[in-house]
Amino acid sequence: MNLRRSNLYPFLAVLLGVALMALPAWPQSSQGSVRGTVQDASQAVVPGVTVVLTNTATGVELRTTSNEAGIYVFPSVLPGSYKVEAEFAGMQKFEAAFTVRTQVSANIDVVFQPAGTQTLITVQDITPIVKTDAPALGHTLERTRIEQLPLNGRFIMNLMN
């Protein structure tokens, strides 16, 4: 069979079209991502902080650590409601709630605030107010103190009151 050149082009175009349709279609991802920077109140980056991402519906936790530039990334996160938590010594605990959407990168920057200083004062009194080992109350006066009391007529029964 003798094919002419002009008939060959439509045949190649159809063959190329069929071949392109046969290539697998790349599925779209239904996941999002969460990323951010860990900083202190002066906007200095804080490396080595463990960041916890918790799905509030399922309770599933994901953990990562901020790198030397203070950046953390959760690359593949299912859509839903989440909370992110981070702690660092001397700083208040950071918490934030948000929603991850399909094919959207949520940017949640962790900013630590200084923790308030706490002073603990413990007051202890070593003198008991009530003696619990003896039911009687008493006090002993020395003879010289009794003699110095200003009593009218020095009647001994006045001392008993």
Side-chain angles (χ1 to χ4, degrees), residues 42-102:
S42 66
Q43 296 183 345
V45 296
V46 184
V49 174
T50 300
V51 180
V52 180
L53 181 69
T54 306
N55 185 320
T56 56
T58 63
V60 174
E61 289 184 355
L62 301 172
R63 294 178 183 270
T64 191
T65 304
S66 62
N67 64 11
E68 58 276 348
I71 298 171
Y72 73 92
V73 177
F74 294 99
S76 297
V77 179
L78 293 174
S81 296
Y82 286 87
K83 72 175 180 176
V84 66
E85 298 174 306
E87 291 184 85
F88 191 68
M91 302 289 184
Q92 293 178 0
K93 182 178 181 179
F94 177 85
E95 292 184 2
F98 59 96
T99 302
V100 173
R101 294 195 170 95
T102 302

Side-chain angles (χ1 to χ4, degrees), residues 29-34 74-79 100-106:
S29 174
S30 64
Q31 298 179 343
S33 65
V34 178
F74 294 99
S76 297
V77 179
L78 293 174
V100 173
R101 294 195 170 95
T102 302
Q103 295 183 342
V104 175
S105 178

